[in-house]
Amino acid sequence: MQQKTEFRIDIEGIINIIRRRGVRSVGLQLPAGLMRQGRLISKEIQNQCNIPVIIAGKGCYGSCDIDTELLGMVDLLFHFGHSGSDRENLIFVEVRSTLDVSPAIESAIEYLEGDKIAVVTTIQHIDQLDRAKTILERAKKEIMIRMGSGDGINYPGQVLGCNASAVDPRCDEVLFIGTGLFHPGGIALICKKKVVAADPYTERVEVIDPESLIRRRWAILAGAIDADVFGVILSAKSGQYNKELADKILKAAADHKIEAHLILLDEVTEDALINLGMDVYINTACPRLVDDMEQVTLLNPDEFKKLLDLRER
Ligand code: SF4
C-alpha cells in the first residue's frame, strides 16, 4: 500500500522486510519534516506485523545522524528520508515528494543569467530532475546534471548540505530545487557560484550570492584573531565523530601555545556553547553548524588553519 500524502513511502516494502527477516521489534527514525509520518507508519507495522515499534522522538539531520541508542534497543531500525548504505540491522528508506516541481522551475528561469546551469536537488525531488531539465532546455539553457561522490550520494544531481560534488565546476550558475537555505547556502560556499534556489512547496525563488557568505565568514574569522581560550567540538553522532581531526586541531593549538579543550556534544547548539564559556570553538562535526551561530564564534577546521596563519603574521 502506498501512503497517500505529499510523500511517497513504500510501507508495503517495509512490511515485507519485517516479515522476511522475522524481526520482533522495530525502530523508526525520521527527520523533522517527516516526523508526523511516524505514527502512520508505526500503526501500519503494528496492525500488519503485531510487533512493538519505537519512534525516535528527536529529529535527525542526515545519514550521518543514526540514533545508535535506538539501534541498540530494536531488532531493526528504519531510517527515513536520507540515502545511505544499509547495515545488518539498519535500513535506509528513501522518501520521495509527490509535489510537481515545474511551477518552481518556471519561476526560477528569470533569475538564471548564465547559459550553463548545474541542476541539483535533495533525495526527495531526485526523480523530477528530468522534468526540470526539459523546462530549462526549452528556455535555451544548457543543463548539467552529474553524479557526485561520497557517503549518502546515490543519484546524479543529488546534493547534501556538506556535499556539492554533483555541481559541475564548468557551470555558470547552480539551480537548487528544494526547501530552505541549508543546502543552497552550502553549495554557494563550497562551489563559490551563484545559487538560485527554487522551493517547490512555496514556489518562491531565492538567489544566494557566494561573495556575501564568504565575506561574512572572513569577518567572523577576523573577530577571533585575539581569542584566548578555544573549545574543540567532538560530535557524539556516529557519522560525524572525528577524533583524529579533533586531535590534529588540539596538537596545532598546542604547537601555537593556544589553550584548547576537547568538548563532546551530541547537539551542537548555541546555548550549549554559550554555557561552556570559551572564546572560540572549532567544529569537527557537521560543517554547516557554523551558520547556526549568531552569538558565539564557531569555526570549521579550514578556518582555524587560516586563523593560525593570521596569528603568525
Ligand atoms: S554532516 Fe551535516 S550537512 Fe552533511 S549530511 Fe550530515 S547533517 Fe547533512
Side-chain angles (χ1 to χ4, degrees):
M1 185 193 77
Q2 296 287 339
Q3 200 176 302
K4 286 197 179 68
T5 65
E6 62 195 44
F7 302 106
R8 212 166 56 234
I9 302 176
D10 181 11
I11 295 185
E12 200 54 50
I14 292 168
I15 301 286
N16 285 339
I17 291 170
I18 292 171
R19 287 192 175 134
R20 204 169 54 240
R21 294 200 180 190
V23 295
R24 289 158 304 165
S25 60
V26 154
L28 308 177
Q29 190 184 13
L30 306 108
L34 291 173
M35 197 58 98
R36 283 163 184 262
Q37 309 301 315
R39 68 179 182 87
L40 304 173
I41 302 165
S42 169
K43 188 174 165 195
E44 207 63 46
I45 294 172
Q46 289 180 67
N47 285 347
Q48 293 200 44
C49 304
N50 197 25
I51 57 169
V53 179
I54 303 177
I55 302 170
K58 57 180 179 181
C60 60
Y61 305 104
S63 59
C64 59
D65 188 8
I66 301 302
D67 191 328
T68 46
E69 211 177 342
L70 182 54
L71 188 67
M73 292 167 66
V74 293
D75 284 353
L76 189 58
L77 176 66
F78 290 99
H79 178 107
F80 293 82
H82 304 114
S83 50
S85 306
D86 292 347
R87 293 177 225 153
E88 200 187 334
N89 60 342
L90 169 67
I91 301 219
F92 287 90
V93 182
E94 295 179 6
V95 176
R96 297 289 190 267
S97 165
T98 54
L99 208 66
D100 182 3
V101 301
S102 307
I105 306 295
E106 299 281 4
S107 305
I109 288 173
E110 65 176 291
Y111 298 92
L112 294 167
E113 296 164 314
D115 295 326
K116 295 180 184 169
I117 311 295
V119 183
V120 293
T121 187
T122 56
I123 190 104
Q124 284 82 2
H125 307 290
I126 204 79
D127 293 345
Q128 297 196 54
L129 281 184
D130 281 346
R131 187 176 290 176
K133 184 169 184 273
T134 305
I135 294 170
L136 293 165
E137 282 177 345
R138 223 182 287 138
K140 305 274 182 280
K141 300 292 182 188
E142 183 184 331
I143 302 310
M144 303 166 127
I145 298 175
R146 77 166 190 175
M147 187 73 206
S149 58
D151 282 351
I153 298 288
N154 285 3
Y155 301 93
Q158 184 191 356
V159 287
L160 307 174
C162 59
N163 187 329
S165 54
V167 173
D168 192 316
R170 294 166 300 175
C171 72
D172 297 322
E173 292 164 10
V174 181
L175 173 66
F176 169 78
I177 305 164
T179 302
L181 295 178
F182 181 79
H183 293 90
I187 296 164
L189 272 172
I190 295 168
C191 303
K192 301 185 176 44
K193 302 260 184 193
K194 172 184 152 189
V195 180
V196 176
D199 186 334
Y201 291 90
T202 62
E203 294 173 22
R204 283 190 56 195
V205 178
E206 299 256 7
V207 177
I208 295 102
D209 166 25
E211 291 307 321
S212 65
L213 297 180
I214 292 165
R215 273 199 302 276
R216 178 170 180 267
R217 292 311 305 166
W218 271 107
I220 290 169
L221 192 60
I225 284 186
D226 297 324
D228 292 322
V229 185
F230 286 65
V232 180
I233 307 293
L234 182 62
S235 176
K237 294 188 189 303
S238 57
Q240 295 181 22
Y241 177 85
N242 195 340
K243 180 73 165 42
E244 202 183 321
L245 179 57
D247 284 342
K248 271 190 194 155
I249 292 166
L250 286 170
K251 179 166 184 322
D255 290 347
H256 286 77
K257 305 209 176 344
I258 290 173
E259 180 181 334
H261 304 272
L262 189 60
I263 299 156
L264 181 69
L265 273 174
D266 184 7
E267 291 292 326
V268 182
T269 62
E270 191 151 59
D271 281 351
L273 299 187
I274 289 171
N275 219 17
L276 283 156
M278 298 183 198
D279 298 331
V280 169
Y281 299 90
I282 315 301
N283 174 38
T284 67
C286 168
R288 302 306 317 292
L289 288 167
V290 298
D291 293 332
D292 290 350
M293 305 298 155
E294 287 180 357
Q295 298 173 59
V296 294
T297 302
L298 180 64
L299 303 178
N300 278 330
D302 61 319
E303 294 172 323
F304 179 58
K305 194 167 175 303
K306 284 180 198 151
L307 184 85
L308 294 180
D309 291 344
L310 288 172
R311 282 168 78 117
E312 276 190 350
R313 280 186 196 166

